[in-house]
Amino acid sequence: MDKFSKEIRSKIMRAIKSKDTKEEVLLAKALWNSGLRYRKNNRSVYGTPDITFKKYKIAIFVDGEFFHGYDWEVAKKKIQTNREFWITKIERNIARDKNVNNYLISNGWKVIRFWSKFIKKNLNDCILVIKKEIDETKKLKQISCPKN
């Protein structure tokens, strides 16, 4: 049973943004403040990652728990209203996320996905993960392209 009326729940769901969510902005600002420069919602990269470091071929996605199916087998059972619509939609999102990951990885990209809740609770850990990937990519480029 939903604790909100149909009208209120509908209003809440309509207000959820697809980009520039609080967690995306939080992560982006923390990256910027740590000296890292990136592009947001870069449509030239397949899947339109939330944050990209094109130079290093790193794509970062911030996934909302509801729309991207966090703990899906448990969460699926909790959907009370419009089940057919939501289950189909979320399973389609999960499949799309996998396809985007596979495509980017097969084209030499490193894909990092964070759950929104994880960013809220562990922002510094997220920054460290991203910095580590950038550092590893820099090292690989130096090894593969030695300067004369």
Side-chain angles (χ1 to χ4, degrees):
M1 183 76 192
D2 197 350
K3 62 183 178 180
F4 298 109
S5 69
K6 275 188 169 185
E7 294 78 20
I8 300 293
R9 175 60 64 196
S10 181
K11 185 177 179 180
I12 290 169
M13 296 307 283
R14 276 195 311 270
I16 296 173
K17 300 190 288 184
S18 64
K19 63 180 183 175
D20 293 330
T21 63
K22 289 178 188 175
E23 293 77 15
E24 287 175 37
V25 171
L26 185 67
L27 180 61
K29 285 183 177 181
L31 289 169
W32 192 269
N33 290 334
S34 67
L36 297 172
R37 301 300 179 247
Y38 52 83
R39 292 286 171 259
K40 288 173 49 180
N41 305 306
N42 189 343
R43 292 173 55 181
S44 71
V45 178
Y46 184 77
T48 314
D50 300 310
I51 297 172
T52 52
F53 294 93
K54 208 167 184 181
K55 176 179 179 180
Y56 305 115
K57 290 186 119 180
I58 297 173
I60 301 166
F61 295 89
V62 177
D63 294 336
E65 287 75 12
F66 179 76
F67 288 100
H68 292 269
Y70 178 80
D71 198 12
W72 182 233
E73 290 308 313
V74 173
K76 185 184 341 185
K77 295 172 186 161
K78 293 180 181 179
I79 297 174
Q80 298 288 319
T81 56
N82 211 359
R83 285 181 56 83
E84 186 178 325
F85 170 79
W86 285 115
I87 289 172
T88 302
K89 178 175 183 54
I90 294 167
E91 287 179 348
R92 200 171 52 236
N93 289 350
I94 292 168
R96 185 189 66 235
D97 291 346
K98 287 178 185 175
N99 289 336
V100 167
N101 289 354
N102 292 337
Y103 179 86
L104 289 173
I105 290 167
S106 70
N107 283 282
W109 283 76
K110 173 67 180 173
V111 177
I112 302 171
R113 286 189 178 269
F114 294 115
W115 293 109
S116 293
K117 286 182 187 177
F118 187 80
I119 291 173
K120 282 184 197 173
K121 294 178 183 175
N122 307 290
L123 181 60
N124 290 332
D125 292 339
C126 297
I127 301 302
L128 290 175
V129 166
I130 294 165
K131 284 183 173 181
K132 182 181 174 196
E133 282 305 323
I134 290 171
D135 289 342
E136 287 178 13
T137 304
K138 282 181 182 177
K139 287 178 188 173
L140 286 175
K141 282 189 173 193
Q142 288 174 347
I143 292 170
S144 65
C145 305
K147 293 182 180 177
N148 292 331

